[in-house]
């Protein structure tokens, strides 16, 4: 359905909990189904007649917004960098969803390993582009095996000795006998906007950017 409402894309999962209070501070109250985990709806109305919300996978927020299917989105800086879409502009650091992208490996292996000596490594990761960029800058050749989740199990099963994944509390690494050996980047969620929408609907778009900027500083 194509109409002239503005669409805000938000990710499922962890960021959502921290995002809800920010939406509320911006004056956005989604319809009740949005907070119902059993609801199969993907698009939700809000108390603001010209604004709907869609809930998609974090990876897809960047894609929906870059292609103009959503006008605004909330997404981790890791995904902005992973996709590097030219149509995506990230004007506001929302300062939520803090975590980091790191290289990790089994504890026993890490004890006898010196990351400064790496010349060619294989890693399992959801983020091959960011990983390649990071290691290219360090002069290390990297072979990325793309996986979509549960990559902490990869070293034990021989898929790759090392992984590049998100670390927040560190509990997942610890539970799987892995240790963090190198940070790739610090991450936080940003407001992203579609550049064309910014040109064609400047007033409404700037208004929302201003509101999100204000609540990110409060
Ligand atoms: C992320 C990430 C790690 C975990 C890290 O997965 O991929 O597995 O969180 O968090 P921790 O350091 O607090 O343990 P998430 O639970 O978001 O699901 P995913 O595997 O679908 O990405």
């Amino acid at each position: 359905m194509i109409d002239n409402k503005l669409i805000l894309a938000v990710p499922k999962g962890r960021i959502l909990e921290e995002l809800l209070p920010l939406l509320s501070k911006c004056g956005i109250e989604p319809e009740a189904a949005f907070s119902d985990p059993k609801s199969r709806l993907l698009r939700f109305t809000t108390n603001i007649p010209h604004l709907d919300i869609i809930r998609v996978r974090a990876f897809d927020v960047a894609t929906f917004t870059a292609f103009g299917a959503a006008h605004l989105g909330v997404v981790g800086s890791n995904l902005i960098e992973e996709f590097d879409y030219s149509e995506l502009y990230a004007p506001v650091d929302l300062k939520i969803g803090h975590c980091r992208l790191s290289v990790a490996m089994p504890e026993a292996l890490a004890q006898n390993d010196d990351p400064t000596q790496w010349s060619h490594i294989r890693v399992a990761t959801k983020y091959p582009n960011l990983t390649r960029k990071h290691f290219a800058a360090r002069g290390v050749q990297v072979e990325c095996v793309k996986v979509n989740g549960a990559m902490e199990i990869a070293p034990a099963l021989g898929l790759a000795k090392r992984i590049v994944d998100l670390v927040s509390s560190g509990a997942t690494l610890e539970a799987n006998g892995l240790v963090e050996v190198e940070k790739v980047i610090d991450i936080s969620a940003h407001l992203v906007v579609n550049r064309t929408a910014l040109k064609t609907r400047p007033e409404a778009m700037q208004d929302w950017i201003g509101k999100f900027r204000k609540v990110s500083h409060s």
Side-chain angles (χ1 to χ4, degrees):
M1 179 175 54
I2 294 178
D3 54 40
N4 61 5
K5 280 191 169 193
L6 285 182
I7 306 282
L8 168 66
V10 304
K12 298 174 179 175
R14 296 192 197 193
I15 291 178
L16 200 51
E17 264 174 54
E18 287 184 80
L19 180 62
L20 284 174
L22 281 192
L23 293 182
S24 170
K25 283 187 199 166
C26 284
I28 303 169
E29 303 295 344
E31 65 175 302
F34 185 71
S35 312
D36 175 1
K38 284 194 219 120
S39 171
R40 300 298 298 162
L41 270 184
L42 297 171
R43 178 175 176 162
F44 306 87
T45 59
T46 70
N47 59 321
I48 294 161
H50 75 262
L51 184 75
D52 278 3
I53 294 183
I54 59 168
R55 194 167 53 195
V56 297
R57 283 174 192 251
F59 267 77
D60 296 334
V61 168
T63 307
F64 272 81
T65 312
F67 283 84
H71 307 90
L72 304 138
V74 172
V75 65
S77 44
N78 53 319
L79 290 167
I80 301 170
E81 286 195 40
E82 177 66 20
F83 285 108
D84 202 17
Y85 287 124
S86 58
E87 264 300 292
L88 218 53
Y89 169 52
V92 184
D93 180 355
L94 296 171
K95 300 183 187 123
I96 58 171
H98 289 283
C99 58
R100 55 196 182 274
L101 187 70
S102 288
V103 187
M105 58 198 283
E107 198 168 2
L109 184 63
Q111 277 167 6
N112 302 309
D113 193 31
D114 177 3
T116 64
Q117 297 302 309
W118 294 346
S119 62
H120 182 112
I121 60 169
R122 181 160 74 173
V123 303
T125 186
K126 250 183 182 178
Y127 305 96
N129 293 332
L130 262 172
T131 300
R132 275 189 215 107
K133 236 187 276 179
H134 171 73
F135 283 109
R138 235 165 127 306
V140 176
Q141 252 191 302
V142 65
E143 182 192 340
C144 294
V145 183
K146 173 87 197 302
V147 287
N148 292 311
M151 71 211 70
E152 288 85 358
I153 197 70
L157 299 180
L159 183 62
K161 283 183 190 157
R162 302 172 180 92
I163 65 168
V164 169
D165 194 19
L166 302 184
V167 183
S168 175
S169 66
T172 310
L173 289 184
E174 202 185 331
N176 291 284
L178 305 179
V179 290
E180 206 175 341
V181 291
E182 185 169 297
K183 185 171 78 178
V184 177
I185 47 161
D186 283 308
I187 295 165
S188 62
H190 284 58
L191 177 75
V192 288
V193 302
N194 175 272
R195 285 188 192 276
T196 303
L198 200 54
K199 284 188 206 128
T200 54
R201 304 172 74 172
E203 274 180 32
M205 294 290 289
Q206 290 295 356
D207 188 43
W208 285 115
I209 292 172
K211 284 188 170 126
F212 276 98
R213 186 169 283 138
K214 207 165 158 198
V215 302
S216 75
H217 289 298
S218 62

